[in-house]
Amino acid sequence: PAGGDPPAPPPRLKRRNFFFHIIFPTLLAIGLFLAAIFAVLLPAFERILLDRKREMIRELTNSAWSILAECEREERAGLLTPEQARQMALRRVESLRYGREGKDYFWIQDMTPRILMHPYRKDLNGHDVSDFRDPRGVRIFVEFADLVRRRHEGYLEYVWQWNDDPERLVPKESYIKGFAPWGWLIGTGIYIEDVKEEIARLERHLIRASLGIAALMALLLMYVMRQSRWLERERREAEEGLRESNERYRSLVEAATEGTLLVLEGRCRYANPILLEMLGYTEREVELLDLADLIPADPDNSEVWARVRRLAAGEEPQGSFDGAMRRRDGQPVECVFTLSRITFGDQNGFILLVRDVRPSPEAGDSDDAA
């Protein structure tokens, strides 16, 4: 390529670089985003939600337990008979409801165990439930009583009907607390399916949000791809234009019969063989030099630099002028210069035509012969 430009990478290599530097990181970011949601955030949210639900039923049970304590205090104060106090406590607790549909409830049993109050299983009220088993074969009311004997209060998992629907059996976790003065225990619970439904709702929202974010990122990626391809096309066209300009100016400089120097933004870009021989430089060495390295800024070159400054200010160059250049060995070379403005790509510069005014060796030999 002209001017020693490195060859352009093949299109396949460009596509591979584009994939690894833009598409792959974007897809990796989307994958990590989804993995973080479904592998970390959702399980953590499920644990937090379950813990909050368990804390809620504990606090609700304590509130209902306080009704029993209040009735027991009135009994001890002589305001109520033991039977009246117990019946009042059962009625008040039986009427308590909470939850989204207002169907969550409390039940009360004794340590026999015997059901004293269950709002949805009235067929069990007043009956011994020692042999009552859930679908897994667990004697749940015996387990409740044993839990109270051991720890006075706590959580227990089992299978029970869904609120007031005896045909639907689901996993449940209850909080049970004993009331020692009367030998009772009171409890309420949460349905595990409630928690799962909330998690499912959250998952649906997150999936929709994730798909929306992924779609936006895909659109952004497509935009980046389009812009990158447009910029790449513009870059190739600019490179091609620069290469053509380089070839054109190079051909022009090489075809000149005088020493010719191409200068862009104050840097020497190319010198033809005539000028290289005149100054003793190689082409590569010239490309590393500033104009001041070849034309010293001394009084002898004041006209040269004045014309260069006027050219940079937009004034059109006129005529030839005298000056001196510096050879590679430091020796001055008296010259006559001519300036010509050029625009090379997006860079401004000029071509400097140089004519050596020193007498030629052949002319010296002719004078000696005469």
Side-chain angles (χ1 to χ4, degrees):
D5 295 333
R12 184 176 180 181
L13 182 60
K14 292 179 181 178
R15 288 193 296 269
R16 185 181 304 170
N17 289 338
F18 181 78
F19 175 81
F20 281 109
H21 289 92
I22 296 180
I23 298 180
F24 178 73
T26 304
L27 295 178
L28 181 62
I30 295 175
L32 291 176
F33 171 72
L34 296 177
I37 288 177
F38 291 99
V40 179
L41 295 182
L42 277 180
F45 180 81
E46 185 173 359
R47 289 192 300 270
I48 292 172
L49 182 61
L50 185 57
D51 289 342
R52 288 183 178 274
K53 292 281 189 180
R54 297 178 74 193
E55 180 68 17
M56 178 193 71
I57 60 173
R58 186 175 73 86
E59 294 301 323
L60 288 172
T61 301
N62 287 333
S63 297
W65 185 92
S66 67
I67 295 176
L68 306 184
E70 180 183 355
C71 293
E72 193 271 336
R73 283 195 302 271
E74 292 183 359
E75 176 191 344
R76 284 189 286 108
L79 300 177
L80 297 172
T81 66
E83 181 63 22
Q84 288 174 334
R86 286 163 175 75
Q87 289 302 317
M88 179 181 290
L90 291 174
R91 286 195 304 271
R92 292 174 63 181
V93 173
E94 184 179 14
S95 66
L96 295 177
R97 294 290 185 276
Y98 65 94
R100 188 171 62 250
E101 298 178 355
K103 292 185 177 181
D104 294 300
Y105 61 92
F106 299 87
W107 86 93
I108 298 175
Q109 71 176 70
D110 62 18
M111 305 297 289
T112 304
R114 180 168 56 96
I115 296 296
L116 302 177
M117 185 279 298
H118 195 294
Y120 295 139
R121 291 297 304 269
K122 296 184 182 296
D123 58 306
L124 298 178
N125 290 347
H127 292 283
D128 188 313
V129 287
S130 300
D131 293 328
F132 187 96
R133 300 173 186 270
D134 72 359
R136 296 179 302 179
V138 177
R139 297 192 301 170
I140 57 175
F141 296 106
V142 173
E143 293 287 333
F144 296 154
D146 288 343
L147 174 64
V148 170
R149 289 189 187 96
R150 292 193 312 270
R151 302 201 306 264
H152 185 64
E153 58 186 318
Y155 296 94
L156 194 67
E157 292 186 14
Y158 56 100
V159 175
W160 190 254
Q161 73 180 45
W162 178 266
N163 292 325
D164 55 352
D165 184 0
E167 301 300 323
R168 182 181 177 187
L169 301 176
V170 293
K172 189 174 185 179
E173 183 174 2
S174 288
Y175 183 82
I176 304 99
K177 184 172 183 177
F179 186 68
W182 291 348
W184 290 4
L185 63 88
I186 183 171
T188 189
I190 55 172
Y191 294 98
I192 305 302
E193 286 195 5
D194 276 347
V195 179
K196 291 182 178 179
E197 286 180 4
E198 290 193 36
I199 294 296
R201 283 197 300 271
L202 177 66
E203 286 181 348
R204 289 193 294 271
H205 291 319
L206 286 176
I207 288 173
R208 285 194 290 267
S210 300
L211 290 176
I213 293 173
L216 288 176
M217 296 182 73
L219 290 175
L220 179 61
L221 179 60
M222 292 176 62
Y223 174 77
V224 170
M225 291 173 61
R226 182 178 178 182
Q227 289 297 106
S228 298
R229 296 178 72 176
W230 180 79
L231 291 174
E232 178 65 18
R233 184 170 62 251
E234 290 289 313
R235 187 188 64 81
R236 286 199 302 268
E237 291 176 357
E239 285 182 350
E240 185 62 27
L242 191 62
R243 189 176 296 110
E244 291 177 359
S245 297
N246 194 11
E247 289 287 351
R248 184 167 60 253
Y249 283 117
R250 190 183 184 94
S251 300
L252 177 64
V253 170
E254 288 181 346
T257 58
E258 299 175 327
T260 308
L261 178 67
L262 175 63
V263 180
L264 296 174
E265 306 295 343
R267 299 282 299 179
C268 302
R269 295 304 184 190
Y270 179 72
N272 70 346
I274 296 175
L275 185 63
L276 293 176
E277 182 180 358
M278 183 189 305
L279 301 180
Y281 284 102
T282 65
E283 182 178 345
R284 284 296 181 188
E285 289 173 336
V286 167
E287 292 176 356
L288 300 176
L289 300 177
D290 291 331
L291 181 61
D293 296 323
L294 295 180
I295 303 178
D298 54 32
D300 292 337
N301 286 324
S302 58
E303 179 65 18
V304 180
W305 286 103
R307 298 234 182 175
V308 170
R309 286 191 292 270
R310 289 199 296 269
L311 185 95
E315 183 179 322
E316 290 298 326
Q318 295 179 357
S320 301
F321 49 94
D322 296 332
M325 300 190 76
R326 179 188 293 153
R327 286 177 49 84
R328 189 173 186 276
D329 58 10
Q331 295 298 316
V333 179
E334 294 182 3
C335 307
V336 174
F337 299 107
T338 303
L339 283 173
S340 177
R341 185 197 308 277
I342 63 167
T343 299
F344 189 74
D346 59 349
Q347 295 178 310
N348 295 318
F350 56 87
I351 291 178
L352 184 66
L353 299 179
V354 183
R355 186 170 71 252
D356 187 355
V357 296
R358 295 175 301 173
S360 63
E362 289 82 359
D365 293 344
S366 300
D367 293 340
D368 292 340

